Amino acid sequence: MADKTVPLVTLETERLRIVPLDRQAFDEKCHASADDPLFGGDEFREAMEELAERAAHDKPARFAWYTNRLIYRREDGAYIGSAAFMNSPEKDPDKIGLVEIGYATEEPYRGRGYMTEAITAMAEWAFSQPKVYGLIAGVQDPNPASDRVLEKCGFVKTDHSDTLALSVWKRIPEGRRKLTFWQRLF
C-alpha cells in the first residue's frame, strides 16, 4: 500500500503566515552561505541538517513532517523565526504517535506572542493529521521564554534531565489514543 503524501500547507493566523519549505527551498536553506543574515547561522544550519538526516530515514511522502516552516508577519512580511516538526508520528521512538516540535524566534520579535501564535497553529494542524497522539518539545535550561510559549500553547512540563539541562514538555489532547501496531505499519 502506498503512503499518502502529507501535504505542505501554509498556515495563516491573525498576524502570521507559516510557510513550509518545499524540497528545493529546504535544500537551498540547508546549504545557505555562512554570511546569509537569516539562514547562515550555525544553529539554523545544524537544525536543518538534523531535519534532513531524520527525513532521509523516513518515507518521502512524509517530508512535510521534517521540513522547516518560516514564520512571517502578515502586515509587512518581516521574518519572525522558524519552527519544525522533528519526526513523523510513525517514526516516534516511543511508537505511540508523539511528534517533536522545535522553534526559534528572531531577537527583535521575542516577547510579542508571535511564537505562541505560530506553535498554536502548528499544533492544531498536527492534531488534524491521522496518527498524531501528542506533541513533545525539549527546552534547554535556562529558557523561561520558551517554557512560557509551551505553557501558553497547552503543553505540560513532564520531565527534566539535569544531565542534559533539558526540560521535556508534552501536549496530549484529552481523548487521544496512542498508535496501534497496525497504524504504525500502514
Side-chain angles (χ1 to χ4, degrees):
M1 175 194 296
D3 249 356
K4 184 177 178 187
T5 299
V6 179
L8 290 175
V9 177
T10 296
L11 302 174
E12 301 260 350
T13 69
E14 182 180 334
R15 300 182 299 163
L16 304 172
R17 289 188 78 234
I18 305 161
V19 182
L21 298 173
D22 63 20
R23 280 238 186 239
Q24 181 179 347
F26 182 86
D27 289 341
E28 288 170 8
K29 299 293 186 242
C30 274
H31 300 98
S33 157
D35 61 356
D36 183 316
L38 295 179
F39 310 114
D42 289 340
E43 191 173 306
F44 184 87
R45 287 202 325 258
E46 286 174 20
M48 294 291 285
E49 288 170 9
E50 184 176 348
L51 287 169
E53 176 67 22
R54 290 181 181 194
H57 294 286
D58 204 340
K59 296 179 180 177
R62 295 189 264 224
F63 174 74
W65 288 111
Y66 299 96
T67 191
N68 202 355
R69 287 156 172 82
L70 305 183
I71 304 165
Y72 300 99
R73 194 164 52 188
R74 287 177 62 179
E75 70 181 59
D76 60 3
Y79 174 71
I80 302 297
S82 65
F85 297 109
M86 304 297 289
N87 62 287
S88 68
E90 295 88 349
K91 286 291 186 172
D92 166 23
D94 294 330
K95 301 190 183 322
I96 59 174
L98 283 176
V99 177
E100 183 181 354
I101 191 167
Y103 54 90
T105 311
E106 292 294 304
E107 182 98 28
Y109 303 103
R110 293 178 183 166
R112 298 182 185 188
Y114 291 127
M115 196 52 69
T116 299
E117 193 172 321
I119 298 304
T120 297
M122 288 180 62
E124 289 172 7
W125 178 84
F127 291 130
S128 74
Q129 302 304 306
K131 302 181 182 181
V132 176
Y133 169 61
L135 295 175
I136 189 168
V139 177
Q140 291 291 167
D141 294 337
N143 194 337
S146 279
D147 290 341
R148 186 73 183 122
V149 165
L150 293 171
E151 187 176 47
K152 287 180 177 179
C153 292
F155 285 71
V156 175
K157 187 175 176 179
T158 60
D159 201 2
H160 186 271
S161 168
D162 290 331
T163 306
L164 299 175
L166 179 81
S167 295
V168 177
W169 293 77
K170 288 183 184 175
R171 180 175 173 198
I172 301 169
E174 195 171 318
R176 294 301 264 215
R177 294 182 19 206
K178 298 174 183 177
L179 285 182
T180 66
F181 171 78
W182 294 108
Q183 285 173 315
R184 287 192 306 274
L185 289 178
F186 301 102

